[in-house]
Amino acid sequence: MTAPTPLIAGNWKMNGLAAALAEARAIADGLGGTTARVALCPPAVLVHRMSEALAGTPVLVGGQDAHTETSGAFTGDTAAEMLADAGASLVILGHSERRATYREADDLVAAKARAAINAGLEPIICVGETLDERESGRAIEVVVSQTRGSLPRELAGKAFAVAYEPVWAIGTGKTATVADIEEVHGAIRAVLTTTFGDAGATVPILYGGSVKPANAAEILHAAEVGGALVGGASLTAKDFLGIIHAL
Ligand code: PGA
């Protein structure tokens, strides 16, 4: 069985003006001989310019969300096909900030994943428990249920990734212990292999939540960790490269 190729993706969230494209170039210039696939997911309006700025480099560009429909009267939304047209090859879906702020539920995330696949994008589907859910001993149950509900069958045979991001670890400086990460990633892997058979073993499961150069090696080398989804530390080349080179 082939081990997943690690994916290290930067989630710029609502950060970055055109001037930040220089940072993206610096990331591409500093990749060296990394074995990871590296991606940057800027705000939608920067996708096209970032794709042009990174043309000819191995850095992939992704969106941070996509609508379920290909076009129509959805003011303010972006279709997966539009992201692909602008040069994206991946898209983050179901991030906890969208699940919390826009009440995105598992079935909506699954519908977005179908739309992403139809547009030829590789979805990175996020799951993760809140602090309350962890403290009440329900972390595994919640993550397993989110994974089952957010991954449509149409992902079979397609490239996609799952990102485990404990909500309480995002942007807080707190990270889960390696033991907790391995336990949750193991549970996600079990869902993947049950749903997709042998192919489920090759899906990268990323960890996210306050990943930094200082903790990246320990996290990236944990069992069943197939890369990282990095927020704050992906905004500067120095920190993001520090994480990439910790692999
Ligand atoms: P963080 O964000 O690395 O800033 O904690 C991760 C994410 O939300 O994807």
Side-chain angles (χ1 to χ4, degrees), residues 6 8 14 16-17 49 71 74 83 86 90 106 124 135 159 167 185 203-204 226:
I8 300 185
M14 199 173 74
L17 301 174
R49 276 176 288 175
S71 63
F74 303 105
L83 292 172
L90 307 96
D106 294 340
I124 301 173
E135 286 179 343
V167 177
H185 281 224
V203 175

Side-chain angles (χ1 to χ4, degrees), residues 11 13 95 165 169-171 209-211 229-232:
N11 173 11
K13 309 192 179 185
H95 189 280
E165 299 202 303
I170 295 176
S210 299
V211 178
L229 184 55
V230 184

Side-chain angles (χ1 to χ4, degrees), residues 105-217:
D106 294 340
D107 54 350
L108 178 66
V109 178
K112 289 183 171 197
R114 270 184 219 107
I117 288 294
N118 289 339
L121 295 179
E122 177 177 343
I124 301 173
I125 299 166
C126 304
V127 295
E129 82 285 0
T130 62
L131 186 57
D132 186 48
E133 288 162 343
R134 172 151 293 272
E135 286 179 343
S136 59
R138 292 189 296 127
I140 295 289
E141 178 197 326
V142 166
V143 170
V144 163
S145 157
Q146 284 181 346
T147 308
R148 285 201 187 116
S150 306
L151 271 54
R153 303 242 155 213
E154 288 84 344
L155 290 170
K158 307 288 185 192
F160 70 99
V162 176
Y164 167 53
E165 299 202 303
V167 177
W168 49 270
I170 295 176
T172 58
K174 294 179 190 158
T175 45
T177 65
V178 167
D180 287 340
I181 296 172
E182 290 183 340
E183 184 189 20
V184 177
H185 281 224
I188 294 171
R189 179 68 69 206
V191 175
L192 288 170
T193 49
T194 305
T195 314
F196 300 105
D198 284 353
T202 65
V203 175
I205 307 174
L206 318 186
Y207 173 78
S210 299
V211 178
K212 305 177 198 51
N215 60 21

